[in-house]
Amino acid sequence: MEYMALRYTVGLDLGGTNIKGGVLDEGGGIVAKGMIKTEAESGPGHVIGRLGMLAERLMREAGLGKEDVDKIGVGTPGPLDPAAGLVLSAPNMPGWKMIRLKDELMGVTGMDVKVVNDGNAAAYGEYWTGSGRDERVQHMILLTLGTGIGGGVVIDGKIFSGAHGAGTELGHMIVKPGGRPCGCGQLGCIEQYASATAFAREAKRRIDAGEVTSLEGEVTTKDVFDAAADGDAMSRAVIDRGIDYLGKACVNLVRIFDPQVIVIGGGVIAAGEAVMGRLRRSFDDQTWTVREERVEFAAATLGNDAGFIGAAGMARG
Ligand SMILES: [Zn+2]
């Protein structure tokens, strides 16, 4: 066998506030990692320059030159055409309309670039080196409970992104027909009920309606989970309701994809049993009985690193 030098990949995770990144080896090990401000207010050209700057800084820290690195993978928010590396628009980033990110970042760095959806990147990251890293796991779904709900679907070890590169938008599954309006224009999307912000919003609604609770005024998601842990009945009801909708979404996902593992990410998983145990029970209560369910539920393990790890992994192909 011919001798092959170790090859590396750079992964970048573009967000409205920060760009996170890392250099990964072939096994998904992190050789260097770091973060810089996006400075999105200065426009797309400036941000693309900063993506290139972070990539070069990380390679320098890892002691690597361009000849050691195969590709840069970039996870971006919002709709895109992954084949063309074209970002159609990006929420919270002024001027991001029809930006040829792949071509422009290749121009800045002189390196090959692959652009992927950030939810898909996080899902691939968890699959590659996180909760789904067991080689027996080939079918996995990630749901990240954040400001909205993001995530992705891994089938046969590969990200499923649909016929037009629009898949998947797991946060916009409709779980309540005619339900709460979503920023996407639909009614009753799961992210209106079970995202991290949805828990705080529902608690606020109930406080304003005069329900009995130890909470008052403006509340954060953490306040709601803390109060529930201290026995506040209203906070428990808020969490139960959100998790029941999440359970319903998971039943639908299992009916369609039959995954081995559903991974839940986001800050709220720190509440442990209040989320993961409750979700398993909610799923078991709502799913069918015609055959035994073999799906497992697991908490995400990579935290904020999942996006850049997965972007690097997907760039490897
Ligand atoms: Zn929606």
Side-chain angles (χ1 to χ4, degrees):
M1 206 172 107
E2 208 176 323
Y3 171 76
M4 296 281 283
L6 263 181
R7 305 297 303 175
Y8 298 87
T9 318
V10 173
L12 300 171
D13 181 11
L14 173 59
T17 309
N18 294 307
I19 304 167
K20 302 176 203 87
V23 178
L24 283 92
D25 64 24
E26 290 175 342
I30 298 175
V31 182
K33 72 170 190 173
M35 182 171 88
I36 56 173
K37 292 277 174 225
T38 307
E39 299 178 358
E41 64 283 359
S42 299
H46 180 77
V47 172
I48 291 164
R50 292 184 67 74
L51 285 166
M53 196 172 82
L54 180 60
E56 279 165 19
R57 191 185 94 192
L58 292 168
M59 286 160 56
R60 209 162 46 239
E61 284 173 18
L64 299 172
K66 287 182 184 178
E67 67 282 3
D68 303 309
V69 176
D70 285 331
K71 227 174 213 183
I72 300 177
V74 191
T76 68
L80 74 151
D81 175 345
L86 175 70
V87 179
L88 307 182
S89 73
N92 312 319
M93 299 214 289
W96 282 73
K97 287 272 180 300
M98 306 302 278
I99 300 297
R100 299 206 158 273
L101 178 57
K102 175 184 164 78
D103 292 345
E104 293 196 26
L105 189 55
M106 283 174 71
V108 166
T109 59
M111 295 170 66
D112 197 6
V113 171
K114 185 177 174 79
V115 179
V116 299
N117 170 275
D118 59 357
N120 285 345
Y124 195 80
E126 287 290 342
Y127 163 73
W128 191 25
T129 71
S131 286
R133 72 184 172 281
D134 185 325
E135 64 183 25
R136 286 168 299 187
V137 174
Q138 291 294 308
H139 306 275
M140 190 208 91
I141 295 173
L142 171 71
L143 290 167
T144 303
L145 315 184
T147 311
I149 294 182
V153 176
V154 174
I155 298 175
D156 281 326
K158 290 199 163 52
I159 282 289
F160 171 77
S161 60
H164 313 100
T168 48
E169 292 283 358
L170 303 181
H172 302 283
M173 284 184 288
I174 296 173
V175 291
K176 188 174 168 72
R180 296 200 188 284
C182 183
C184 73
Q186 296 177 169
L187 301 177
C189 294
I190 180 63
E191 72 174 33
Q192 295 304 316
Y193 298 92
S195 63
T197 46
F199 290 111
R201 223 170 27 233
E202 177 66 12
K204 181 74 169 66
R205 222 175 262 130
R206 292 181 184 223
I207 293 166
D208 292 347
E211 283 194 33
V212 177
T213 171
S214 61
L215 294 172
E216 53 186 354
E218 296 301 321
V219 291
T220 65
T221 307
K222 185 174 185 308
D223 294 336
V224 178
F225 278 84
D226 287 349
D230 289 340
D232 182 64
M234 187 213 76
S235 297
R236 284 191 175 172
V238 166
I239 294 167
D240 283 353
R241 176 176 175 277
I243 299 292
D244 268 347
Y245 279 114
L246 192 62
K248 208 181 291 300
C250 289
V251 171
N252 291 333
L253 289 169
V254 169
R255 292 290 78 79
I256 301 165
F257 294 110
D258 186 22
Q260 290 160 295
V261 188
I262 295 180
V263 179
I264 306 294
V268 300
I269 60 170
E273 173 67 14
V275 172
M276 298 307 297
R278 183 77 191 75
L279 176 59
R280 179 80 229 191
R281 287 193 296 279
S282 166
F283 175 84
D284 288 342
D285 286 348
Q286 299 185 76
T287 196
W288 67 14
T289 54
V290 299
R291 59 184 290 171
E292 184 193 359
E293 294 287 17
R294 294 165 69 187
V295 65
E296 288 174 27
F297 289 84
T301 58
L302 301 180
N304 291 330
D305 291 351
F308 75 75
I309 292 172
M314 288 177 74
R316 298 188 73 85

